[in-house]
Each structure stands twice: as structure tokens, then as C-alpha cells.
Amino acid sequence: SSGRKRRAGKLVTGSVEFLDNKYTITAKIIDVKNSKILFYDTRTVDNKSEILSQCKQMAQRMAGKVK
């Protein structure tokens, strides 16, 4: 071990916004080294109860993009 800290190569960000009686869910994977967006997904749902299931689907898609 060199004693140096490992830095993250990828950053996962996301948000849930409520506007016009709808929820918009957004998720991104960003390459920290060059700031490029490696993955982007957005979903809109009518009910708060749908947010978790949509987040799970997005996470599954994201998992396939992270290596």
C-alpha cells in the first residue's frame, strides 16, 4: 500500500423535484477525471408512491454502466 488515498473515479448524483403536481426523478453518473456525463436518466411520475419503484429501475440501469 502506498498510503495514498484512493479517489473516486465516478460520482453518482440525483434529485427528486415536485412541479405541476408531478415528480421528476433524475440520476447521473459523472466521470470525475474529465467531468463527462456517463449516464443520464430522468423519469416523471404522478404519484409519490411511484418514486421508489422508478428509482430502483434507474439504479438497475445505472449498475450496468458502472465498471
Side-chain angles (χ1 to χ4, degrees):
S1 165
S2 66
R4 293 176 15 181
K5 290 183 182 178
R6 288 189 72 167
R7 296 181 186 246
K10 296 175 180 69
L11 175 68
V12 177
T13 67
S15 65
V16 177
E17 299 174 16
F18 183 69
L19 182 64
D20 294 331
N21 292 319
K22 293 183 188 264
Y23 295 89
T24 301
I25 309 156
T26 303
K28 288 190 251 184
I29 300 175
I30 302 167
D31 186 318
V32 175
K33 293 176 187 171
N34 59 22
S35 300
K36 288 188 179 181
I37 296 173
L38 304 174
F39 174 88
Y40 178 85
D41 195 1
T42 186
R43 313 272 175 104
T44 302
V45 296
D46 295 322
N47 298 307
K48 189 176 182 179
S49 62
E50 298 175 76
I51 294 172
L52 184 58
S53 65
Q54 290 300 312
C55 286
K56 286 180 181 179
Q57 288 179 23
M58 292 168 83
Q60 289 174 340
R61 286 192 62 216
M62 289 173 75
K65 302 290 181 183
V66 178
K67 294 182 182 189

